[in-house]
């Protein structure tokens, strides 16, 4: 892997996730906070009109528009699809990107704490996970490496290396200090890591660590007419990254019934009851616990 | 006070406060759940278009449109102002209302638990507070009796008696089971109370109880250009109804500074960092602790 030089820190990809937007303002006033030897760090406010209108997006979810195919399709021309093309021109283009590394800043209404989402499991990312956990023991590392960077539709997939910083719980359109502090610390820690990795100056890292690997998403219960008939069970609510065993209640129906988890593996729910996922009737994501071993 | 006969239970006054909306659906399917001897209970979905668009409101806050003056002003004709006139015709008219009592169901993103907001401090409301606290010890009773019912701009002020059920924390556009359960229990408890009060069959209630009385609202820190420069301090976040003493930090500035509370009384913040209040740059409401004595 060539050394990382050009870095983009992106906020406001979703217009009602305020932490990244307010941190960008702070960092634009004090660029020294992001400066690291050997790195050229730029910032980008991805969905300013979403923020203006206090919505996640105007027309469609910006953070689902970055497949090569969609970026090349001129018929996709709504606001977010247009923003995706502009951002791809500025930070990419995907496949031959000016940016070596992208950090995309997000909030969730779920109780996920400070979570680092890695889009592939190469040496750089595996060591980044170890480094972040060493500096932030309360952090969680999730691998969403089920497809290649080329196939990912996330903004952070424009560059050869890209990560998502996902911090919650925070209601949409709110700034919580604890969440803001976590996001700032994680971003700073990642930039520290990149500078150290570039120069082979990483401290000694543990030989292995626990992480989570995305497996599937669960939908909220609906009847045949598509009407929602239940909600996340109170035993699951706020218990992101706590194990869920077969037979445990997972949904409560409005008529008082319960639906239990019937999966064959010990699942670790996250993005539990995330507000934005209601658009697609999603209740939560599941992961398996994995052990990451450093070479 | 004449006996209460006609009762309206209102949900979805704010389109992204989901608990009341989903409870209305449940109760419309099972009206028996709301039925009480001597009471005629109807339900009303106040802002269906707000819900459709997944927003608190389209044009302006519906729950601020119910002063006599605004209801009588034909020039106020946007969506919520029109809904206010229609709802006033259906449940009111204010001053000579068909409804004897209104329960208006709300959610907050603040950590307020199950809160009962009373708009005046007469015998009926004082006893209702005592009864609800006896049945739900985790509940909080707040008096917003700083103006008369006639002067209040809340939907619940259409009728001679009206209360707001305010349950949190719940992000906008989410259904949490704990919050839904609290709202259902509080609504049922209030209806029980009304039936018992009508018939002089209330159980023995404590001679006095602690409650809170609204005093003022605090704004988020801004610079001279009106740009937001700070947020609710992490020591205050989630500590709704915990006392705040003079000199305690209340806001953290994005540049690292702090602003302390300088009020002359022991304040009880609530609606702390409520998402919807950012529209008006409000950070929280303050209350004083009071003792309510039953005659």
């Amino acid at each position: 892997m060539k050394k990382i030089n050009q870095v983009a820190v992106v906020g406001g990809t979703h217009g009602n996730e305020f932490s990244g937007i307010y941190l960008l303002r702070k960092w634009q006033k004090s660029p020294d906070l992001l400066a690291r030897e050997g790195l050229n760090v730029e910032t980008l406010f991805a969905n300013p009109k979403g923020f203006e209108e206090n919505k996640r997006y105007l027309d469609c979810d910006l953070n689902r528009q970055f497949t090569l195919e969609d970026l090349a399709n001129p018929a996709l021309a709504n606001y977010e699809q247009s923003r995706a093309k502009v951002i791809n021109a500025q930070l990419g283009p995907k496949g031959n990107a000016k940016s070596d590394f992208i950090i995309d800043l997000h909030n969730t209404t779920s109780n996920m704490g400070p979570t680092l989402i890695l889009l592939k499991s190469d040496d750089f990312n595996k060591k980044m996970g170890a480094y972040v956990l060493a500096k932030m023991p309360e952090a969680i590392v999730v691998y969403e490496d089920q497809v290649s960077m080329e196939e990912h539709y996330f903004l952070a997939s424009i560059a050869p290396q890209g990560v998502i910083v996902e911090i919650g719980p925070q209601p949409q359109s709110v700034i919580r200090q604890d969440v803001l502090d976590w996001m700032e610390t994680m971003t700073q820690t990642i930039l520290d890591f990149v500078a150290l990795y570039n120069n082979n100056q990483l401290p000694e890292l543990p030989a292995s660590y626990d992480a989570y690997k995305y497996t599937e998403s669960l939908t909220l219960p609906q009847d045949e007419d598509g009407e929602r008939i239940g909600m996340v069970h109170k035993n699951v609510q706020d218990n992101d990254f706590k194990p869920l065993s077969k037979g445990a209640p997972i949904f409560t129906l409005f008529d008082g019934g319960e639906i239990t988890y019937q999966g064959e593996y010990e699942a670790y729910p996250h993005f539990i009851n995330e507000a934005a996922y209601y658009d697609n009737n999603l209740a939560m994501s599941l992961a398996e616990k994995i052990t990451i071993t450093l070479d």
Side-chain angles (χ1 to χ4, degrees), chain A residues 46-47 54 56 59 100 112 124 141 151 153 156 158 192 204 212-213 231 246 251 256 259 263 294:
Chain A
N47 196 335
N54 201 10
R56 182 176 175 89
D59 298 319
D100 301 312
M112 286 171 60
F124 177 74
V141 176
E151 294 165 296
Y153 50 33
I158 295 175
D192 292 342
E204 196 169 348
Y212 300 88
K213 184 182 168 73
M231 60 192 155
K246 190 168 177 171
F251 298 114
I259 294 177
L294 301 185

Side-chain angles (χ1 to χ4, degrees), chain A residues 65-97:
Chain A
Q65 306 307 320
F66 292 90
T67 62
L68 280 172
E69 192 181 348
D70 286 351
L71 289 168
N73 182 350
L76 302 178
N78 71 26
Y79 178 66
E80 277 80 13
Q81 290 161 346
S82 302
R83 283 300 298 157
K85 290 174 172 64
V86 171
I87 293 165
N88 187 51
Q90 187 174 343
L91 305 185
K94 189 168 177 171
N96 182 29

